[in-house]
Amino acid sequence: MPAVSEAAPLGLLQLVLWSAVLVAAVACTVFVVRHHLRTSDGDSSDLLFWDLFGGAVVIAPALLIPAVASPAAGLALAAVAGASGIAAYRSSPAVLSWYETRRRRRVEAPRGREAAVVHAEIVGRWAQYELDPALAISYPELADVRRPETAAFVKVLREAETLKALADPGYPNAVGRLREALDRAETAAGVPAGLRPAP
């Protein structure tokens, strides 16, 4: 009798461990398959095969080994696998979207910081045409938004500031357009390249 009472908790512990392995393997397989299907670039069939093969290498033993020891445990684990697969499938769009947003922020954060520095330099350079009396007198067109080039610069400036406030991934490109717009406005106003103010 002591042998049976000692074996029961071990059997329950094994069932819990197999369930945990099975849930993790099924969920990971579903997430990886859906991720590769969303971001496939022509190799989707090869990636899909290896995703499914890698998942099957873990899932099949996690189902079969307990099922050989106890058919009831095998049925219970099959139900656990099915439930975790359905849950992973339903939640995968939200999880993958969160992962993609996190990855994009990590990759694009340095670009955003560099763009913010350049943005400040461009605004400082443009401000010189209003703050420096000699430049304001020599090149009044750069403060006159009725001029098409100056109006275009102000429009791009607003766009860049909005994208910066929203932490939009298009912000670095907007800063590049801002630099080009200021160059065009300075050229239209007749500012020689060598006399353009430093920020």
Side-chain angles (χ1 to χ4, degrees):
M1 195 69 171
V4 174
S5 63
E6 289 173 8
L10 183 61
L12 182 60
L13 180 61
Q14 286 177 341
L15 188 62
V16 169
L17 289 175
W18 281 118
S19 296
V21 168
L22 198 55
V23 166
V26 170
C28 288
T29 302
V30 170
F31 287 137
V32 169
V33 166
R34 292 205 76 184
H35 171 70
H36 284 149
L37 288 176
R38 279 177 63 176
T39 60
S40 65
D41 55 354
D43 295 337
S44 59
S45 59
D46 192 40
L47 290 173
L48 183 62
F49 169 78
W50 288 110
D51 293 341
L52 293 173
F53 179 77
V57 165
V58 178
I59 294 168
L63 279 172
L64 294 176
I65 292 172
V68 169
S70 166
L75 285 174
L77 288 173
V80 167
S84 64
I86 291 169
Y89 184 83
R90 287 187 176 173
S91 64
S92 60
V95 171
L96 292 173
S97 176
W98 169 82
Y99 170 77
E100 183 60 29
T101 301
R102 191 165 169 257
R103 185 198 65 77
R104 191 182 319 119
R105 283 185 184 155
R106 189 175 64 247
V107 169
E108 293 176 355
R111 287 185 67 221
R113 286 191 293 271
E114 291 169 9
V117 170
V118 174
H119 185 172
E121 290 173 355
I122 294 168
V123 170
R125 182 171 130 202
W126 180 57
Q128 292 297 315
Y129 292 103
E130 292 185 353
L131 300 176
D132 186 324
L135 289 174
I137 292 169
S138 299
Y139 308 106
E141 298 90 350
L142 285 162
D144 186 358
V145 293
R146 293 172 298 179
R147 305 258 317 169
E149 295 82 8
T150 306
F153 170 76
V154 171
K155 181 180 177 183
V156 177
L157 177 62
R158 286 186 189 140
E159 178 192 358
E161 288 173 350
T162 301
L163 294 176
K164 180 183 180 184
L166 297 173
D168 190 282
Y171 173 61
N173 294 334
V175 171
R177 291 193 300 274
L178 184 64
R179 175 184 282 159
E180 292 168 4
L182 182 56
D183 287 341
R184 282 193 298 272
E186 287 176 325
T187 301
V191 183
L195 295 178
R196 293 179 183 181

